[in-house]
Amino acid sequence: MIKIGYSHPKKLHEILTVHDDVRKLISAAAATKTIKIGRNSVNLDPTSTSFIDYLNDNGQAALNDILTKTPDILSATYIKDIEKLFPDFVTDKGKVGKRNQTFSQVREVAYTIFVTNGYEKLKRKAEFYAALDVKVCPYCNRCLIEPINDGADKKTVVGELDHFYCKSKYPYLAVSLYNLVPSCGICNGKSRKGEKDLCGTMFENPYLLQDNDGMTFGFKPTGVSVINYEDSYRRYHIRYIFAPNVMLKYNFDILKLKKIYSGTYYREKICKIESLVRDFCCQTYIDSQVAKYADMGINLSFSSLIRERLEVSNNPNEYCHHVNNKFVMDVFYKMVAHINKTLLIK
């Protein structure tokens, strides 16, 4: 899990435009007591009217909070309030239509406002990615999700936007700023996070992480001796240390990350990192690198050597820019301690 930094709202032009549309739609519904669902204009029943009034009262203060507050506030305040005030919000009333079920009108009203006329109108998701400056899935740190520039100011978003609180049960959070988590299709797939209702569980939201140290990767020697490099992965097992944030183990289980990281590919990476650490502890190697960089007019630094050889960054604030950055740097520092040598460049 990689922390996502909060963005300055002014950078989020596309989603703020959708927020304005949602506000206008709610104001109109409050004034007319009607709303257009599909092709039909529907009169609001008493429960739906109360819901619209709840969002529209006090200068839309509750609505503004729902759209912009952090996930912990949404869970502690607004989700609880809405479930208490509107207990039939997600009442299943039978199996009809394409969705194979229908809900109470208040739920359909919320879905129409926040999903149909909110999230589904969010066209330039690349703007959202750019504002957050996230290039790799924060859930797994394995898959690139950076939008691809197709030219003429058009960008293709290769990642997805996960609704931390799923829009099927919490449609009123469908365009909440910090309910939208850039992610890869694997982590957001049905067999992993998908549409699971994780409200009230230990599943951690990347926006709420204090730092990237809630869990760390490690390794354990197996004691197996190998002759061929192709079998070198057999020398190490991967370890997962969930401390101090033990709740991240729940994320690991839901996202099935242990199955992914325990494979041969990452065990081989440990061996490659070991080789690089030994290079970094060799004076002859460091001297050769200093000379090479000097020929290019560059003063060698630890950061530049990490970027060249490990293809990641040693700056935790940039872990969201490089694939496997968290894994590589955790293992790197533990490998330095394991082989008990001193890095010759800082």
Side-chain angles (χ1 to χ4, degrees):
M1 281 279 289
I2 302 300
K3 174 180 172 58
I4 302 177
Y6 291 103
S7 300
H8 194 287
K10 289 184 179 179
K11 294 182 179 180
L12 299 168
H13 175 267
E14 171 69 5
I15 194 168
L16 293 180
T17 299
V18 171
H19 284 183
D20 289 341
D21 293 341
V22 166
R23 292 186 180 98
K24 292 175 183 177
L25 184 56
I26 288 173
S27 293
T32 64
K33 307 302 179 186
T34 63
I35 192 169
K36 189 175 182 180
I37 299 179
R39 296 182 179 180
N40 302 316
S41 182
V42 178
N43 294 321
L44 298 180
D45 64 19
T47 302
S48 298
T49 300
S50 296
F51 176 66
I52 292 296
D53 289 342
Y54 170 84
L55 297 175
N56 198 53
D57 282 350
N58 301 316
Q60 296 189 345
L63 174 61
N64 291 333
D65 280 356
I66 286 172
L67 294 176
T68 61
K69 291 298 183 181
T70 55
D72 51 339
I73 296 176
L74 293 178
S75 176
T77 303
Y78 291 99
I79 290 179
K80 288 184 177 180
D81 281 356
I82 288 175
E83 288 182 346
K84 182 178 180 179
L85 293 170
F86 311 103
D88 63 341
F89 200 85
V90 290
T91 302
D92 185 350
K93 289 191 173 182
K95 298 180 178 180
V96 297
K98 291 183 179 180
R99 282 181 287 172
N100 207 33
Q101 58 187 350
T102 188
F103 296 89
S104 57
Q105 190 196 77
V106 66
R107 189 270 182 195
E108 295 291 356
V109 167
Y111 195 93
T112 297
I113 293 172
F114 292 95
V115 180
T116 305
N117 289 285
Y119 182 71
E120 293 178 1
K121 296 292 179 66
L122 191 62
K123 299 184 184 302
R124 297 188 296 275
K125 295 178 183 178
E127 286 188 7
F128 188 72
Y129 275 72
L132 295 179
D133 196 24
V134 175
K135 301 177 181 179
V136 181
C137 177
Y139 284 139
C140 67
N141 198 220
R142 295 176 57 255
C143 301
L144 279 170
I145 56 175
E146 183 180 15
I148 298 172
N149 193 337
D150 289 333
D153 293 329
K154 292 183 179 180
K155 291 186 177 181
T156 299
V157 177
V158 295
E160 300 182 1
L161 286 180
D162 168 51
H163 288 80
F164 188 82
Y165 299 124
C166 58
K167 63 181 182 292
S168 58
K169 184 173 181 180
Y170 309 101
Y172 51 89
L173 302 180
V175 286
S176 297
L177 186 59
Y178 300 115
N179 192 42
L180 299 174
V181 180
S183 64
C184 67
I186 298 173
C187 289
N188 198 30
K190 291 182 179 179
S191 64
R192 287 173 169 79
K193 181 170 183 307
E195 285 284 296
K196 292 182 177 66
D197 180 10
L198 299 174
C199 184
T201 70
M202 293 186 293
F203 197 91
E204 287 270 23
N205 190 308
Y207 287 111
L208 299 182
L209 292 178
Q210 295 298 312
D211 50 45
N212 293 319
D213 298 326
M215 69 80 58
T216 55
F217 291 97
F219 56 87
K220 179 180 179 181
T222 63
V224 175
S225 298
V226 297
I227 299 176
N228 299 317
Y229 181 79
E230 290 77 4
D231 295 326
S232 60
Y233 72 92
R234 299 181 184 276
R235 297 175 56 222
Y236 293 107
H237 288 308
I238 295 174
R239 296 182 64 214
Y240 312 90
I241 300 95
F242 297 97
N245 192 345
V246 295
M247 291 193 299
L248 283 179
K249 186 178 185 305
Y250 192 79
N251 287 55
F252 241 62
D253 292 341
I254 293 294
L255 298 172
K256 301 180 181 179
L257 295 181
K258 189 172 182 179
K259 292 182 178 180
I260 295 172
Y261 276 102
S262 296
T264 302
Y265 175 81
Y266 287 97
R267 293 170 70 184
E268 286 181 344
K269 282 191 83 68
I270 294 176
C271 298
K272 182 178 181 180
I273 293 169
E274 178 184 11
S275 176
L276 292 176
V277 168
R278 294 186 184 280
D279 283 345
F280 290 3
C281 298
C282 173
Q283 189 64 58
T284 302
Y285 173 78
I286 295 299
D287 290 343
S288 69
Q289 293 300 301
V290 169
K292 182 181 77 171
Y293 275 80
D295 288 343
M296 296 185 289
I298 299 173
N299 292 323
L300 182 66
S301 67
F302 178 69
S303 294
S304 59
L305 196 54
I306 288 289
R307 285 179 181 273
E308 183 194 36
R309 294 300 309 274
L310 295 175
E311 299 180 341
V312 295
S313 170
N314 67 315
N315 182 354
N317 294 326
E318 296 183 2
Y319 283 8
C320 58
H321 295 171
H322 305 274
V323 172
N324 297 320
N325 206 143
K326 168 71 173 169
F327 175 86
V328 171
M329 290 312 303
D330 282 355
V331 171
F332 177 86
Y333 287 120
K334 286 182 172 59
M335 186 61 73
V336 172
H338 174 65
I339 65 178
N340 198 25
K341 288 192 175 184
T342 302
L343 295 175
L344 297 177
I345 186 168
K346 303 293 185 182

